[in-house]
Amino acid sequence: MKRETQNILLILLGGALLKITINGDYLRYVKPAQQPWIIAGGAVMVTLGAIAIVRDLLAARAAAVVSGDVHAHEHNTRSAWLLMVPVLAVFLVAPPALGADSVTRTEARAPQSASASNAAAFPPLPAGDVVPLEVNEFVSRAGWDKSGSLNGRPVRLSGFVVHNEGNTMLARMVIGCCAADAFPITVRLVGQDVAGFRDDTWLEVTGTVVPGTAVRENSYMPDLTLTSVRQVPAPKDPYEY
């Protein structure tokens, strides 16, 4: 690979990192805490690539002037820049966040926080007619909280729809560091007909847990008896942590 191509690719990669950080797409890949490191890495790549290109162009220009072959240099430079075209497709089109397909291909499991400290008491739920919870915490309490703090308490959850083996589930992907270590947590929706919602449709639901339904045999997937269902836009940050 020519130096010109290497430098162009370095700038494009750095620019892509800065772009996804500015528009928030980086949340499809890593935790929010990684944002400063992505900005720093992208800025360094763009700076190094730009310095290298300017240095090489000046050196090539000087050599061309000495040899009298300025036209040949300009033609070769234009050819190198044409290599940007296929790379720009990657720069401009960001792949979607992990969704229903990842859930059906990856076995759901108990949240890591719960499995690591299942003997610890869960704090009381906050007061209120309907308690908003992350799906991560809801599944943790349903599977591990021996005090039954969820029993009879209406909760509000948000996640995306997954249809699998005749079940309609509400799911979220949980990541520890980045999307590469993501695993799904799921809640089976019962009590209302939600089969008409397509996979990856985002919903906000309220309901109550069916006690004793989150067990090892079903990968700690509790049942939620629905009282209301509302379709909502996908959040900017689709993961839980």
Side-chain angles (χ1 to χ4, degrees):
M1 184 182 295
K2 294 182 178 181
R3 283 181 56 85
E4 293 93 338
T5 305
Q6 293 175 343
N7 295 335
I8 292 170
L9 291 177
L10 187 63
I11 288 180
L12 283 175
L13 180 57
L17 291 177
L18 293 175
K19 172 180 176 288
I20 65 174
T21 306
I22 292 171
N23 65 16
D25 284 345
Y26 78 99
L27 293 171
R28 299 178 183 181
Y29 314 105
V30 297
K31 299 173 67 172
Q34 304 297 325
Q35 183 186 38
W37 301 105
I38 300 175
I39 293 175
V44 169
M45 289 181 181
V46 170
T47 301
L48 291 177
I51 291 174
I53 286 176
V54 171
R55 183 191 60 192
D56 290 348
L57 287 176
L58 291 176
R61 173 72 65 176
V65 169
V66 172
S67 65
D69 191 14
V70 177
H71 176 74
H73 164 69
E74 291 176 347
H75 175 76
N76 291 335
T77 302
R78 286 196 299 269
S79 298
W81 280 95
L82 288 176
L83 294 172
M84 291 177 59
V85 175
V87 183
L88 281 174
V90 179
F91 179 83
L92 296 174
V93 181
L98 300 177
D101 183 61
S102 298
V103 174
T104 56
R105 290 186 291 104
T106 308
E107 182 181 1
R109 62 178 188 265
Q112 294 171 336
S113 58
S115 59
S117 58
N118 56 7
F122 286 81
L125 290 173
D129 294 334
V130 179
V131 181
L133 290 177
E134 290 189 343
V135 178
N136 191 14
E137 182 178 357
F138 178 78
V139 174
S140 297
R141 287 177 178 269
W144 300 95
D145 185 4
K146 304 305 181 182
S147 70
S149 61
L150 286 176
N151 295 349
R153 293 295 305 274
V155 299
R156 179 182 298 114
L157 308 175
S158 65
F160 56 89
V161 173
V162 180
H163 298 287
N164 190 37
E165 298 180 351
N167 296 318
T168 301
M169 301 175 290
L170 190 77
R172 293 295 288 263
M173 300 296 293
V174 179
I175 66 175
C177 174
C178 61
D181 63 18
F183 67 91
I185 48 175
T186 54
V187 176
R188 193 167 76 101
L189 304 178
V190 298
Q192 290 189 22
D193 184 8
V194 288
F197 291 104
R198 294 184 177 183
D199 280 353
D200 292 317
T201 302
W202 279 82
L203 301 178
E204 182 182 85
V205 301
T206 59
T208 54
V209 70
V210 179
T213 53
V215 294
R216 182 187 298 272
E217 288 72 23
N218 67 1
S219 299
Y220 299 96
M221 179 175 64
D223 287 359
L224 181 73
T225 302
L226 296 172
T227 55
S228 70
V229 179
R230 182 170 69 96
Q231 185 173 341
V232 295
K236 194 66 176 178
D237 184 359
Y239 302 121
E240 292 185 358
Y241 307 97

